[in-house]
Structure formats: structure tokens, C-alpha cells
Amino acid sequence: MSESVVFCQLSRKFVDENDNTPADAQQVVYYSLAIGHHLGVIDCLKESLVCPLEAYQAWIATLEADGEARRKMNGVPRYGEIVIDQNHVVMLARALDAAKPTQTPEQQAWSQALLDMLQAIQQEPAIYLMVRRRYD
């Protein structure tokens, strides 16, 4: 059995509507969506990047040894998943840019793909990434 790391990006959200929900209660659900809470809201995640676990570990090993970015990304092999949101954008972008000169062409492509996803989060803070370890 092989293992991989999958980056999934929020692609859309929708409200789980129930025809029996009173109008006043639905307004609470819509208000919750507007302020960022997930009461009654379903997130749809789209697979955006997949890499083998061993290659992922070699990739993140190019990040600064004691840096916050490496610690964050090491959460995938350690805990099985991490969330990347607007709080992580600048830290990860700086670390990926700094590491690019030491990376293989494949790792540079992954870094660029992740940088593109981080830019999407920067432009729309409601977007986030779910990064998970997957057993294939």
C-alpha cells in the first residue's frame, strides 16, 4: 500500500437547506455563513495537488530546518492532516520562495502550485486548504 499527500482547496460552499426550516431560522444560517461560521454550511473541497508521501517529506525538508513553515507542513505525516488558511499564507510563501533554489524541478513545481493556492487564499480569505495523508 502506498501513501500520498493530498492538497484539497475549498471550491465552494452551500447551505444545507431543509424545506421544513422556518424562514427566521434560515436567516440565522445565512447570517452564520456571512460571518464565517459553519452552522449548516457544507464546504466542497477540490483536489488540487497530490504527491507521494516520501517525496512530500523530501520537499518539506527543503524548508528552513527550525522554521515555522516546516513545523506546519510536518503536521501531515505526524497527525494525518493540517489546515492552511489566511493565517499561514505569508509564512509559507516566504519559506517556499526561500527554498526554491535548493529544490528539484518537481519540488519547484509543487512549490509553485502551493504558492498559487496561497495567492487564492490571499485574494479570498474564506478559501482554505485541507492537506491530508492518504493511503492508496
Side-chain angles (χ1 to χ4, degrees):
M1 180 185 311
S2 64
E3 295 178 71
S4 57
V5 174
V6 181
F7 289 75
C8 297
Q9 185 174 21
L10 177 69
S11 60
R12 64 189 172 98
K13 294 180 178 219
F14 67 92
V15 176
D16 185 19
E17 294 189 38
N18 181 339
D19 291 336
N20 300 327
T21 305
D24 290 346
Q26 281 212 327
Q27 290 304 315
V28 171
V29 172
Y30 288 120
Y31 177 74
S32 297
L33 175 60
I35 61 172
H37 295 151
H38 292 268
L39 175 66
V41 177
I42 298 172
D43 290 350
C44 298
L45 299 170
K46 172 184 71 174
E47 197 173 279
S48 299
L49 175 65
V50 179
C51 51
L53 178 62
E54 286 184 22
Y56 173 84
Q57 290 174 310
W59 174 36
I60 62 172
T62 66
L63 302 176
E64 183 182 350
D66 293 325
E68 187 68 16
R70 186 187 274 190
R71 186 196 64 72
K72 175 70 175 170
M73 300 302 278
N74 268 327
V76 176
R78 181 173 291 143
Y79 305 113
E81 73 179 34
I82 61 170
V83 173
I84 298 173
D85 61 24
Q86 65 183 352
N87 298 312
H88 308 109
V89 169
V90 173
M91 176 256 305
L92 288 172
R94 285 182 180 156
L96 290 166
D97 280 338
K100 270 188 174 181
T102 65
Q103 295 177 339
T104 67
E106 181 178 50
Q107 291 170 339
Q108 289 176 347
W110 292 337
S111 290
Q112 189 56 55
L114 181 50
L115 284 166
D116 292 345
M117 289 182 257
L118 295 174
Q119 184 176 20
I121 294 171
Q122 188 75 17
Q123 292 173 352
E124 177 50 63
I127 294 176
Y128 66 91
L129 305 175
M130 178 66 68
V131 187
R132 291 188 172 142
R133 187 174 182 170
R134 178 171 72 190
Y135 301 93
D136 300 321

